[in-house]
Amino acid sequence: MNKIVTISREFGSGGREVAKRLSDVLGVAYYDKEIIDHIAEKTNFAPEYVATVSEVPTMSSYPVTFGRTFASNVLSPSEAVQIAQRECIKELAEKEDCIIVGRCANSILADKAFKVFVYASDMDCRIDRCYNKVPADKEIPRKKMEKEILAVDKRRAKYQLAYADQKWGEMSNYDLCIDTSKFGVKKAVEIIAHAMKVYYE
Amino acid sequence: MNKIVTISREFGSGGREVAKRLSDVLGVAYYDKEIIDHIAEKTNFAPEYVATVSEVPTMSSYPVTFGRTFASNVLSPSEAVQIAQRECIKELAEKEDCIIVGRCANSILADKAFKVFVYASDMDCRIDRCYNKVPADKEIPRKKMEKEILAVDKRRAKYQLAYADQKWGEMSNYDLCIDTSKFGVKKAVEIIAHAMKVYYE
């Protein structure tokens, strides 16, 4: 069986960077936004459209209606993307050792994957990390940045509930949860890589 | 500064065993029920009494009344135990490298300790672990055992809220959270010990 790591993450925790570095350390493939192109190819939707719905909960996406709408029994475009995404994640996990970021992969591959949640308990760390990604001349007050960070987390939680029927960030849905405020990204990667080694021994 | 590990744990997750083994691996002191004797000595209460209130929330223990009751400005016995426990935990952390189990130590030593939460996402694992600790002739249905396990967790959560004003089991209150259903106790210890090494490097 392939070695699959799923990385779920709080916004601004450095989870994406953890995943990237981990893929370098382990020498395995890394899928985050790359999944969007796979889905675009599969569904014939434009990658730009896929990107807008790929991790976003929609009105019609709550568990009972997953797959088909009540009214028409026909897939809505965003539902088609979700289903393609789910299939794509399963195929990637079948194909090779890899790291998959977000997208309910921890639920889709629940029994197959090594499931990590990356968080940052210190909000200042998250805000600073986000500032590093916006142009220096774009002035955003820290309070506003914090609000935006929490809004992204809220969207992710809503998405996880909608498509995986899981509470996002609840530790029982993951094998290992790690605070980058405590360890920083580099040490977090070292710890996760070692935990994987120990697990597969 | 001393190296202090606090181990918070779900009931039946093997957290206590993790703490014990970790103390062997690291060669440092381990405090769980041992704290009770320290407190008994400090307060002159019988160890049996201390044990009954040491991790148990009481009516008068909610945050606003912590320390003294409204009515009399005099400490209730259980409040006296909580205060002695808090002092005892701080003293142990000042004295030597050690591992402290439960008792809100993650909050009392928030900035000083390496804070671990041990959980077991698989309820069957928790039930089996508890069965190993009851005499073979004592028949307890699995459903009843599950109920008792969840009741202990609930008490711990209430205690954490009362004395630390924290949500028990919320990952942001810990540095590393680890699922013994995934790793087992021995590997969990190996992972925590390595994470500590990496952190203090």
Side-chain angles (χ1 to χ4, degrees), chain A residues 113 119 174 177 179 182 187 198, chain B residues 113 119 174 177 182 187 198:
Chain A
Y119 59 103
Y174 315 96
C177 311
D179 185 356
K182 179 82 170 186
K187 290 188 174 185
V198 168
Chain B
Y119 59 104
Y174 314 96
C177 311
K182 178 81 170 185
K187 289 188 174 184
V198 167

Side-chain angles (χ1 to χ4, degrees), chain B residues 128-194:
Chain B
D128 290 344
R129 189 169 279 116
C130 289
Y131 272 125
N132 288 339
K133 286 182 187 158
V134 295
D137 61 335
K138 203 178 171 191
E139 279 181 30
I140 306 173
R142 289 185 78 83
K143 262 288 153 212
K144 195 179 170 206
M145 188 68 101
E146 180 175 347
K147 219 172 147 186
E148 282 176 18
I149 288 170
L150 294 174
V152 176
D153 278 0
K154 206 171 168 185
R155 261 204 312 279
R156 286 181 182 168
K158 215 170 154 187
Y159 177 78
Q160 190 85 9
L161 191 65
Y163 289 105
D165 200 14
Q166 268 188 358
K167 208 171 157 198
W168 178 82
E170 186 165 87
M171 58 174 78
S172 63
N173 298 322
Y174 314 96
D175 304 319
L176 190 75
C177 311
I178 189 160
D179 185 355
T180 49
S181 306
K182 178 81 170 185
F183 300 104
V185 165
K186 217 175 134 196
K187 289 188 174 184
V189 170
E190 214 175 314
I191 292 164
I192 297 166
H194 173 264

